Amino acid sequence: MHADYLEKTGSKISYNSFHKTFKSMNISMALLGHEECEICSTMAMHKKDCHCEDVCDISEFLGHKTRYRAARKEYQQDSQVNTEEKRLIVSADLQKVIMLPRMEQFKTAVFTRRLTVFNETFAEVGKGKRNHAVVWHEATSGRRDEDIASAFYEYLLGARSSPRGIEPKKKENIVNNLLPLMPPNRRFFWNDLPLNAHAKDLTVFDE
Ligand SMILES: [Zn+2]
Ligand SMILES: [Zn+2]
């Protein structure tokens, strides 16, 4: 925020005075999300007492910069496309873990046991789009790969307009030939699969 102000206005006000001015107006300056990238932080610390960009090996940072700029560009393009066309493009992010209850002003709440809560947010990129949060706590599920994948599944179930379906002949083949070989608890999925005569065949053959 301070750096941004200096860049835009060209003024030379110190961070301290900048911060004081805001404080006097009762506006708190929060670091966005308190989230910092390790590579960028390392570089910022390095730059503080070193001006030897030609001497030091900063290739890791430069590669990182190329990648985050490319990612940002893709994100902006997606946001453009998502606004103009009827497509679903979302960015997904696991939010900072919240410990509930969050009532620091009450002593009883300060000393109580906490419940770890997770929030995977799916934000449709572009203007005027919706956000969806899939929320769970440690008694429901954790933060392993499969837990995060379940959050994606949950989101996609709600986001789709209708099931894709399976071509009737194909379903018949599976039900008649494969089902007898499956354990009974796996058969429901195939039996319940909705039909769609125009379903595109997604089979991929490896040659
Ligand atoms: Zn970074
Ligand atoms: Zn250096």
Side-chain angles (χ1 to χ4, degrees):
M1 194 171 168
H2 173 237
D4 193 52
Y5 179 79
L6 294 190
E7 202 184 306
K8 282 195 181 132
T9 60
S11 90
K12 287 199 172 71
I13 181 169
S14 73
Y15 181 84
N16 231 332
S17 321
F18 187 76
H19 187 242
K20 265 188 206 145
T21 314
F22 270 86
K23 228 178 163 188
S24 72
M25 292 159 78
N26 238 344
I27 301 171
S28 71
M29 276 174 60
L31 281 173
L32 265 186
H34 295 279
E35 239 176 73
E36 276 179 45
C37 154
E38 292 87 349
I39 300 174
C40 287
S41 297
T42 310
M43 187 59 197
M45 262 143 77
H46 177 103
K47 270 207 301 207
K48 248 188 210 162
D49 18 54
C50 175
H51 302 280
C52 55
E53 281 176 28
D54 325 311
V55 189
C56 297
D57 179 13
I58 54 163
S59 54
E60 193 196 13
F61 172 74
L62 293 177
H64 171 67
K65 193 162 136 186
T66 311
R67 284 194 300 278
Y68 75 62
R69 286 204 166 154
R72 177 116 299 255
K73 208 172 144 208
E74 290 288 333
Y75 181 85
Q76 281 163 346
Q77 274 168 4
D78 278 347
S79 128
Q80 194 72 25
V81 168
N82 220 14
T83 310
E84 285 160 11
E85 290 173 31
K86 267 196 154 182
R87 276 167 64 183
L88 179 68
I89 307 176
V90 300
S91 77
D93 193 17
L94 185 66
Q95 305 301 310
K96 199 167 75 176
V97 170
I98 310 161
M99 308 293 275
L100 289 183
R102 248 187 103 172
M103 302 183 292
E104 280 100 16
Q105 67 273 43
F106 301 116
K107 226 173 186 182
T108 39
V110 169
F111 296 112
T112 192
R113 270 186 83 166
R114 300 302 161 101
L115 185 66
T116 309
V117 179
F118 304 95
N119 169 358
E120 177 82 22
T121 290
F122 297 85
E124 294 179 15
V125 299
K127 279 204 180 89
K129 298 288 182 172
R130 297 165 304 173
N131 294 330
H132 292 267
V134 178
V135 181
W136 70 96
H137 58 74
E138 60 190 330
T140 330
S141 197
R143 51 171 295 177
R144 289 163 303 179
D145 295 351
E146 57 265 40
D147 301 323
I148 307 295
S150 298
F152 274 73
Y153 180 67
E154 190 62 35
Y155 168 69
L156 290 170
L157 274 185
R160 69 176 177 178
S161 43
S162 64
R164 200 180 71 85
I166 183 171
E167 206 270 315
K169 190 89 198 132
K170 199 169 180 182
K171 177 168 175 178
E172 202 186 300
N173 264 330
I174 295 174
V175 169
N176 293 339
N177 303 321
L178 286 179
L179 243 62
L181 309 171
M182 285 182 200
N185 63 348
R186 302 276 170 85
R187 293 178 194 167
F188 299 108
F189 173 82
W190 297 100
N191 274 324
D192 294 346
L193 215 52
L195 292 174
N196 173 8
H198 307 291
K200 204 173 130 206
D201 195 337
L202 298 179
T203 315
V204 178
F205 293 100
D206 256 333
E207 283 169 48

